Amino acid sequence: MKTGSFLFLTLSLTAALVCCSSKKDSAKEQATATEQKVTTEDPQKPATTNVPTEEMSGYFVKSTYKPNADINFIVLKNKAQFDELLGIARTMKNSISTPDFDNTIIAAIVLKTTKNETKIKVKDAKLEGNTLNVYADIETGKELSYSSTPLYLYHMPKNQAKQINLFVNGENKASVELN
């Protein structure tokens, strides 16, 4: 009888511990979920969505274009604008990206003509409400024996953006309204 009572007591305690432990874990999970909602949802700030960008290759800035600022940010809305700014740089080894004005936003970062080696790279694009923030880095290097007009041409899926801001090396350098 003592063995039966001991076994019953052991099973009862084990069941009680499992029950209490599940209630504690459930309460912890609910508290964590509530904390995550509070930290991720700020009613004052619109939701942020990453927007993929893809560089378009095989183009150069035509010599007829004269940049008016050190950093020029241009959203190309149609083929006529595209063709006015850019020429095709075809070689035997490269491929030319075809612009798609119906499904993508096509943008160009054009710098003033320089004799310095220059690299432009879009790192990130984030949609916040109706504003698309594009983050780029520009690096200049050694002096070259020739001059060029640095270009970074890229496209991204169309979205609800009404304005695009260009941040270069952390500074807001340009803003373009979209119609």
Side-chain angles (χ1 to χ4, degrees):
M1 189 72 148
K2 286 184 182 180
T3 306
S5 297
F6 177 75
L7 183 58
F8 176 77
L9 182 60
T10 304
L11 287 174
S12 298
L13 286 172
T14 303
L17 285 173
V18 168
C19 180
C20 290
S21 175
S22 331
K23 285 182 183 176
K24 281 182 187 175
D25 289 346
S26 178
K28 275 185 185 176
E29 287 171 9
Q30 285 178 342
T32 303
T34 304
E35 288 171 5
Q36 287 173 347
K37 275 187 178 177
V38 170
T39 57
T40 58
E41 292 179 15
D42 181 356
Q44 301 298 321
K45 188 176 181 182
T48 300
T49 306
N50 289 330
V51 177
T53 63
E54 184 178 336
E55 184 172 9
M56 296 179 69
S57 60
Y59 296 95
F60 65 91
V61 177
K62 289 183 175 177
S63 60
T64 54
Y65 177 74
K66 302 298 179 208
N68 58 4
D70 290 340
I71 299 171
N72 298 273
F73 184 54
I74 306 158
V75 175
L76 301 162
K77 297 177 183 172
N78 56 51
K79 184 158 176 37
Q81 285 181 329
F82 190 91
D83 291 342
E84 185 179 330
L85 176 67
L86 304 167
I88 296 175
R90 181 173 296 278
T91 67
M92 290 184 65
K93 294 182 182 179
N94 75 341
S95 62
I96 308 297
S97 303
T98 304
D100 177 1
F101 297 99
D102 293 329
N103 299 308
T104 63
I105 297 170
I106 300 172
I109 301 169
V110 181
L111 306 183
K112 277 195 169 182
T113 303
T114 181
K115 282 193 163 200
N116 287 34
E117 182 179 62
T118 305
K119 293 180 185 177
I120 308 168
K121 180 69 179 161
V122 170
K123 306 181 303 182
D124 202 5
K126 294 186 182 294
L127 182 64
E128 295 181 27
N130 290 333
T131 303
L132 181 61
N133 294 318
V134 176
Y135 301 91
D137 283 338
I138 297 175
E139 296 177 11
T140 55
K142 64 182 178 184
E143 189 171 331
L144 304 169
S145 60
Y146 58 90
S147 62
S148 67
T149 304
L151 165 70
Y152 188 87
L153 179 67
Y154 65 100
H155 65 100
M156 57 198 136
K158 280 198 173 172
N159 52 58
Q160 74 264 19
K162 303 280 186 239
Q163 175 179 328
I164 302 177
N165 296 321
L166 174 65
F167 291 85
V168 176
N169 299 338
E171 271 185 68
N172 190 345
K173 292 291 188 177
S175 183
V176 175
E177 296 289 324
L178 300 176
N179 300 359

